[in-house]
Amino acid sequence: QVNGFFRWNVIKDSDDGLDIELRLMNADEWTTRVQLPMESVADVTLRRLQSFAPCCKVKYSFGDVAGEAELEDGVITVKGLKITQTPTVLSLRK
């Protein structure tokens, strides 16, 4: 299932930056016989942004990880983020 265990919450979407909290579901949120993952590596593509409009490259940080992501086909994809059940903020800046 696409995005089945992932949760996100937009904290800031402005002209100069975007902050979005990313995490995986935890057992308190969903009773199931399936064991929920503790972590997952994902390429995060940001769509339907309201204010943040990068032109070609952006700087990002995600916990202890930082780098640059490029605009491709009108969207930004940050590749290889390790997402866990602990909420971590993905921050993008022009």
Side-chain angles (χ1 to χ4, degrees):
Q1 180 180 1
V2 176
N3 297 330
F5 298 115
F6 293 92
R7 296 294 177 260
W8 55 90
N9 179 38
V10 175
I11 298 169
K12 172 186 174 182
D13 182 356
S14 67
D15 290 340
D16 64 340
L18 176 78
D19 294 331
I20 185 167
E21 182 181 82
L22 303 173
R23 68 179 177 84
L24 293 174
M25 285 181 76
N26 61 53
D28 294 337
E29 295 174 285
W30 192 36
T31 304
T32 180
R33 294 177 297 192
V34 176
Q35 185 173 354
L36 296 173
M38 299 301 289
E39 67 180 44
S40 182
V41 175
D43 295 344
V44 176
T45 300
L46 302 157
R47 305 180 195 285
R48 297 186 211 114
L49 304 177
Q50 301 299 305
S51 296
F52 186 62
C55 58
C56 53
K57 285 187 181 182
V58 297
K59 294 180 182 180
Y60 73 86
S61 65
F62 185 71
D64 295 338
V65 178
E68 283 189 343
E70 291 190 35
L71 190 69
E72 295 178 27
D73 297 325
V75 296
I76 295 252
T77 298
V78 181
K79 298 182 180 184
L81 296 181
K82 185 168 96 173
I83 300 172
T84 67
Q85 292 181 355
T86 302
T88 304
V89 175
L90 171 61
S91 294
L92 296 124
R93 300 292 180 261
K94 291 181 182 179

